[in-house]
Amino acid sequence: MNRYETVFIMTPVLSEEQAAETVTKFKGLIKDNGGKVVHEENWGLRKLAYPIQKKTTGFYHLLEFELPGEGIRPYETEFRRDERIIRFLTTRMDKYHIEYAESRRNKKKNQKTEAKEA
């Protein structure tokens, strides 16, 4: 099983519920293809670096997941077909990428606990 990371941008005309529904759909696709979601982050509504389809903002979301190699093609095809997605990027994570992602998450956890204690 390979580990992947996908960052995708949803159109800003969606409501919060519709954006959550879209994320649920893609998480379901991972599970349907025999994978599991390891980590996810909702980055919220952000300004785009340049206009895409005449839109200057979008809802960003990150999914880190494990999936058999043959399952990635239908997963990406669904991103291309879904009109709510304006951009996506999926990368296969190597051991260094996985270590970095885990250390980044641990660093965030430590910062949150330190902030609560202060």
Side-chain angles (χ1 to χ4, degrees):
M1 212 162 326
N2 300 321
R3 190 177 286 194
Y4 299 94
E5 181 180 82
T6 299
V7 175
F8 56 97
I9 307 169
M10 294 171 278
T11 182
V13 298
L14 299 175
S15 67
E16 292 283 338
E17 291 175 359
Q18 291 170 324
E21 179 184 302
T22 305
V23 171
T24 303
K25 172 189 170 186
F26 287 102
K27 286 169 46 179
L29 279 173
I30 292 168
K31 291 176 185 166
D32 292 345
N33 287 311
K36 70 174 186 177
V37 176
V38 176
H39 179 72
E40 71 173 301
E41 293 178 23
N42 181 6
W43 295 347
L45 186 66
R46 291 181 166 211
K47 185 176 179 184
L48 303 174
Y50 53 88
I52 301 172
Q53 299 171 358
K54 298 183 180 177
K55 295 173 179 69
T56 56
T57 58
F59 289 104
Y60 281 71
H61 203 87
L62 175 135
L63 286 177
E64 187 180 326
F65 56 95
E66 292 179 347
L67 192 67
E70 63 272 6
I72 197 68
R73 183 171 288 218
Y75 175 74
E76 286 191 327
T77 300
E78 196 57 39
F79 270 108
R80 289 184 185 94
R81 289 182 178 162
D82 198 319
E83 293 178 353
R84 297 172 289 189
I85 305 298
I86 55 177
R87 282 286 192 273
F88 75 96
L89 177 67
T90 301
T91 56
R92 183 176 172 197
M93 300 173 76
D94 61 8
K95 66 179 183 181
Y96 303 109
H97 192 166
I98 294 168
E99 284 177 20
Y100 175 76
E102 289 172 356
S103 68
R104 188 175 71 92
R105 282 196 296 265
N106 290 335
K107 188 176 179 181
K108 277 188 171 182
K109 280 183 186 175
N110 291 339
Q111 286 176 345
K112 285 183 180 177
T113 55
E114 288 175 8
K116 286 181 181 177
E117 292 174 0

